[in-house]
Amino acid sequence: NHMTKKCVGCGANAVKKLIDLGPQPPSNRYLSDKKESFDTHPVEFCMCISCGLAQLSNPMPPDVVLSRFEWISYNEPEGHLDDLVNVLATKINLCDKTQIVGVTYKDDSTLARFNSKGVLNTYRLSQANDLEIAEPLASLETIQHALSPDRASELAAKTGQADILLVRHIIEHAHEPRILLEACRNLCKPGGLLVFEVPDCRKMLNGHDHCFIWEEHISYFTPETLKGFFEDAGLNDVDMRVYPYPTEDSLVAIVRNSYSSPKKSEINTAKQLAQLEEFTSTFSFRGTRLKQHLHEMRSQGTRIALFGAGHLAVKFINFYGLADYLIGVIDDNPNKLGRYMPGSKLPIIGSDILEKSEVDLCLLTLNPESEQKVLKAKAAYFSKGGKFRSIFSASANSINEDIKND
């Protein structure tokens, strides 16, 4: 397990491979026909022994990740944005000259909140005009590559540097986050505020929820490694905030755009490594236990389906090799119905299958709010003896409990 790969965060040649997940299709590659072929790319989950950052090595190229469908969208939790905007308002003297710039469409809802506070000098980079991305289906995978430091300097010369630059949910998608950080610094006034938001991966690690590993997320930050990432780049005035959500917390770093000398990481990487190695060691164990459990149930005649055909479901099936135990994946999104899941080629079927009593056990891949909605909507299914379990460890209704009791 020699370490030759370069860390995407600190640049050290100290990246250790932890889990080789083998060749995987992009999670957005739904098939319209079982015979359709699809791209795959190796997914390797690693950690830098020098700075502690968990990451994918050799990321899937942007043109492979690129969605083939205009209807695919991702929603981040936004319940914390009111608080975040209030916090930012205390750190900067908001006036009608204050310029607030968003880097991607993920920043629209925050800009709208500033607008309603009377800050009207807001701007959001245009994929087509500012970043010259012609591909209509392009998203973060393409933006992360297109926003170079040089292009950022040109844009800043044209539109002026931002007092506050909003950068939600893109730095974890960057193949070279240090270069993206430099581009963001060029878009922001010296002394201005850079506001980065990423998923906090601690719950995924602590719960051994391997299906959160996703080809579109290259870096898996914790509050420690995100702060370390900025300090290593010479940005030492960092206000870290964690906004809790049931399955994955939002991690926000408010970074002053003023350079001082880089700080060497003070992260206890031995502790990080121990946590990541536990996450790693549970991978094959959890897969084996799930297979045994589902195999047992299948042999007793139980018909099992997954509910929710998003990327977490794709990874749950593909990583643990569960396709043979499932009759399909339930999802009422009309764009997904009748298609087949990436990789496993399981059919995507409507939830009316529950009313028809054609499924005995439903494994939910939904966040707790959506889970509650489904449980309410499908009460008739329960009354006939149907069962729901969540694939996530954080759920009170987790499949983990059944596996433990086998």
Side-chain angles (χ1 to χ4, degrees):
N1 210 343
H2 58 291
M3 293 175 276
T4 50
K5 297 236 161 75
K6 228 173 108 157
C7 172
V8 297
C10 71
N13 285 320
V15 174
K16 180 177 180 178
K17 181 156 74 171
L18 298 173
I19 310 179
D20 187 342
L21 295 150
Q24 295 289 335
S27 302
N28 56 23
R29 199 61 50 84
Y30 297 95
L31 306 173
S32 48
D33 184 325
K34 268 194 158 165
K35 294 197 265 304
E36 208 176 305
S37 65
F38 52 84
D39 299 310
T40 61
H41 187 85
V43 175
E44 293 178 0
F45 186 70
C46 309
M47 174 187 148
C48 174
I49 304 299
S50 177
C51 73
L53 179 62
Q55 58 197 272
L56 300 186
S57 70
N58 173 26
M60 197 178 279
D63 58 331
V64 178
V65 172
L66 183 79
S67 171
R68 306 296 192 255
F69 306 108
E70 69 288 342
W71 43 264
I72 290 182
S73 64
Y74 302 100
N75 303 316
E76 314 300 345
E78 300 202 333
H80 60 285
L81 292 181
D82 289 337
D83 182 74
L84 177 59
V85 166
N86 290 336
V87 167
L88 292 170
T90 65
K91 289 181 179 281
I92 203 150
N93 194 1
L94 290 179
C95 62
D96 44 2
K97 290 196 179 61
T98 307
Q99 179 160 350
I100 303 177
V101 175
V103 171
T104 75
Y105 69 92
K106 299 270 182 197
D107 302 306
D108 290 349
S109 47
T110 318
L111 292 173
R113 283 170 169 82
F114 277 110
N115 293 157
S116 67
K117 272 193 166 337
V119 181
L120 303 179
N121 186 9
T122 55
Y123 182 71
R124 200 251 290 162
L125 301 191
S126 147
Q127 285 187 199
N129 304 334
D130 295 329
L131 300 174
E132 293 177 26
I133 297 170
E135 167 57 64
L137 296 178
S139 187
L140 305 176
E141 79 295 320
T142 309
I143 298 170
Q144 62 84 22
H145 180 66
L147 185 56
S148 66
D150 286 352
R151 187 183 294 267
S153 300
E154 285 167 29
L155 288 172
K158 199 173 71 182
T159 57
Q161 288 178 309
D163 294 287
I164 301 179
L165 185 76
L166 303 172
V167 198
R168 291 186 70 223
H169 293 283
I170 182 163
I171 198 112
E172 72 274 25
H173 291 255
H175 292 205
E176 300 191 73
R178 286 292 289 268
I179 291 177
L180 185 63
L181 175 58
E182 196 189 324
C184 290
R185 293 194 58 207
N186 291 350
L187 287 170
C188 184
K189 279 181 189 155
L193 297 178
L194 302 156
V195 185
F196 291 93
E197 181 179 324
V198 300
D200 181 347
C201 81
R202 286 176 302 174
K203 281 183 175 163
M204 150 186 139
L205 295 176
N206 296 335
H208 308 146
D209 287 314
H210 307 97
C211 61
F212 276 91
I213 298 171
W214 184 33
E215 68 280 350
E216 299 200 29
H217 283 176
I218 315 305
S219 299
Y220 293 77
F221 292 105
T222 65
E224 280 184 301
T225 54
L226 185 59
K227 192 164 194 275
F229 168 74
F230 293 119
E231 290 175 349
D232 186 60
L235 299 171
N236 296 311
D237 183 349
V238 181
D239 177 3
M240 297 290 299
R241 293 173 181 257
V242 178
Y243 290 101
Y245 286 97
T247 42
E248 193 174 56
D249 297 341
S250 281
L251 186 53
V252 176
I254 303 169
V255 183
R256 185 74 60 182
N257 190 19
S258 48
Y259 182 83
S260 43
S261 56
K263 266 216 276 228
K264 192 69 199 101
S265 168
E266 288 163 19
I267 289 170
N268 180 344
T269 53
K271 198 181 104 196
Q272 297 275 124
L273 185 62
Q275 183 187 34
L276 280 158
E277 288 191 321
E278 190 188 324
F279 177 77
T280 302
S281 68
T282 57
F283 175 69
S284 59
F285 177 71
R286 186 159 193 244
T288 307
R289 292 301 297 272
L290 277 164
K291 276 191 209 151
Q292 285 169 343
H293 178 66
L294 298 182
H295 176 76
E296 189 119 318
M297 296 195 75
R298 275 299 292 262
S299 58
Q300 294 162 8
T302 307
R303 295 157 303 177
I304 310 162
L306 234 56
F307 196 111
H311 67 88
L312 294 161
V314 173
K315 293 299 178 251
F316 183 73
I317 299 165
N318 291 353
F319 287 173
Y320 298 132
L322 304 178
D324 293 349
Y325 311 104
L326 305 167
I327 63 170
V329 180
I330 297 170
D331 199 306
D332 288 327
N333 178 334
N335 296 303
K336 292 181 183 175
L337 271 175
R339 293 185 193 269
Y340 298 89
M341 291 292 278
S344 66
K345 299 188 173 181
L346 282 167
I348 301 174
I349 45 191
S351 69
D352 55 344
I353 191 168
L354 299 178
E355 277 78 14
K356 293 181 197 153
S357 303
E358 289 169 21
V359 175
D360 307 297
L361 171 66
C362 223
L363 301 179
L364 297 172
T365 68
L366 310 168
N367 67 40
E369 293 128 57
S370 309
E371 186 177 310
Q372 287 314 310
K373 281 185 202 150
V374 168
L375 297 184
K376 275 205 188 81
K378 299 295 173 186
Y381 169 73
F382 286 124
S383 61
K384 293 186 196 155
K387 275 204 190 70
F388 275 115
R389 289 284 180 275
S390 171
I391 69 168
F392 304 125
S393 53
S395 169
N397 192 21
S398 177
I399 183 87
N400 289 7
E401 297 309 307
D402 298 341
I403 296 173
K404 260 193 235 146
N405 302 331
D406 276 359

